[in-house]
Amino acid sequence: GENVEQHPSTLSVQEGDSAVIKCTYSDSASNYFPWYKQELGKRPQLIIDIRSNVGEKKDQRIAVTLNKTAKHFSLHITETQPEDSAVYFCAASSGSSNTGKLIFGQGTTLQVKP
Amino acid sequence: NAGVTQTPKFQVLKTGQSMTLQCAQDMNHEYMSWYRQDPGMGLRLIHYSVGAGITDQGEVPNGYNVSRSTTEDFPLRLLSAAPSQTSVYFCASSFWTSGRRGGTQYFGPGTRLTVL
């Protein structure tokens, strides 16, 4: 089955710096790659996603890149702010491309120091 | 819309007890799923469903049962609770139609379960 590996497990940056989180996946049939942010004690919420026919997608300070050949995708956060501190999860679609089934990475705890 | 709702928010069980975690959504989503979240383990898929009457196993299905009798509801049953099932459980739902390649999953608020 699909396996998603996420690195690093923890990341500490100074406010204003950039943060990069990387994920690799095993299923070459995966075609949907969302990123979720989870604040302490709250539910995960989608922040950005990318599909396999696109190499890069940007939304203000957040961008995601996808390399299908290498089977890895990354989240980039620029000009980090204290409110970016949270746990971030990557995910990849699994099995039949139309089931909606997602497999998640282990999560990255991002700390942005003022 | 209430979105995805879960009950209860907190639950304490003794080893061997059974219980049902409730999940409901009012967005007419075809796809629903259950995850458990443990420190350092991310979100692990327990069971999922692509429509009423259709369910399948995820990564960690042992010890859990599900059914999907309606589009709105997707309860998760713990048959005989064990301390290893202490976790936070999230239900999620999304649109899925033939030809659509995955959609945004909306999560419920979670249920924190402790098994003593």
Side-chain angles (χ1 to χ4, degrees):
Chain A
E2 173 72 284
N3 184 50
V4 178
E5 296 287 333
Q6 183 173 347
H7 299 280
S9 56
T10 60
L11 180 59
S12 182
V13 301
Q14 288 294 136
E15 183 178 0
D17 287 349
S18 295
V20 180
I21 302 170
K22 298 182 179 181
C23 289
T24 60
Y25 61 97
S26 60
D27 186 354
S28 56
S30 294
N31 56 21
Y32 175 63
F33 308 92
W35 287 87
Y36 284 79
K37 176 182 180 182
Q38 185 180 29
E39 297 176 346
L40 189 63
K42 297 191 175 181
R43 73 190 80 184
Q45 292 195 304
L46 180 77
I47 55 171
I48 195 167
D49 58 11
I50 192 167
R51 300 187 187 274
S52 59
N53 58 347
V54 176
E56 182 174 0
K57 184 176 178 180
K58 191 173 181 180
D59 183 3
Q60 299 182 337
R61 296 185 298 108
I62 294 173
V64 58
T65 58
L66 171 65
N67 183 329
K68 284 220 75 180
T69 302
K71 288 192 277 188
H72 67 72
F73 56 113
S74 301
L75 178 71
H76 305 253
I77 305 174
T78 58
E79 301 172 17
T80 54
Q81 301 167 3
E83 51 265 38
D84 294 329
S85 296
V87 179
Y88 291 81
F89 293 98
C90 64
S93 60
S94 177
S96 167
S97 62
N98 290 330
T99 66
K101 179 180 172 184
L102 294 178
I103 299 299
F104 283 80
Q106 296 86 349
T108 296
T109 300
L110 174 64
Q111 181 188 29
V112 180
K113 293 184 278 190
Chain B
N1 288 350
V4 182
T5 58
Q6 291 183 237
T7 57
K9 290 186 178 180
F10 302 94
Q11 183 70 49
V12 178
L13 293 178
K14 294 181 179 179
T15 296
Q17 287 185 316
S18 62
M19 79 159 295
T20 299
L21 307 184
Q22 301 291 344
C23 174
Q25 52 88 14
D26 61 0
M27 298 175 281
N28 203 30
H29 286 168
E30 302 92 344
Y31 179 87
M32 297 186 73
S33 56
W34 278 101
Y35 297 89
R36 59 176 289 173
Q37 183 174 31
D38 304 292
M41 304 290 288
L43 294 156
R44 291 184 292 171
L45 183 64
I46 305 172
H47 286 284
Y48 66 100
S49 168
V50 299
I54 306 169
T55 64
D56 204 349
Q57 296 181 349
E59 302 169 274
V60 288
N62 292 343
Y64 307 95
N65 272 0
V66 292
S67 60
R68 184 96 178 268
S69 55
T70 67
T71 298
E72 294 78 19
D73 300 296
F74 190 44
L76 178 72
R77 298 182 186 84
L78 280 70
L79 309 173
S80 178
S84 60
Q85 293 179 305
T86 293
S87 188
V88 179
Y89 291 84
F90 286 100
C91 178
S93 71
S94 69
F95 278 116
W96 168 69
T97 56
S98 179
R100 185 179 298 200
R101 298 178 293 166
T104 301
Q105 285 203 15
Y106 296 88
F107 283 80
T111 295
R112 186 174 295 275
L113 176 68
T114 301
V115 183
L116 303 175

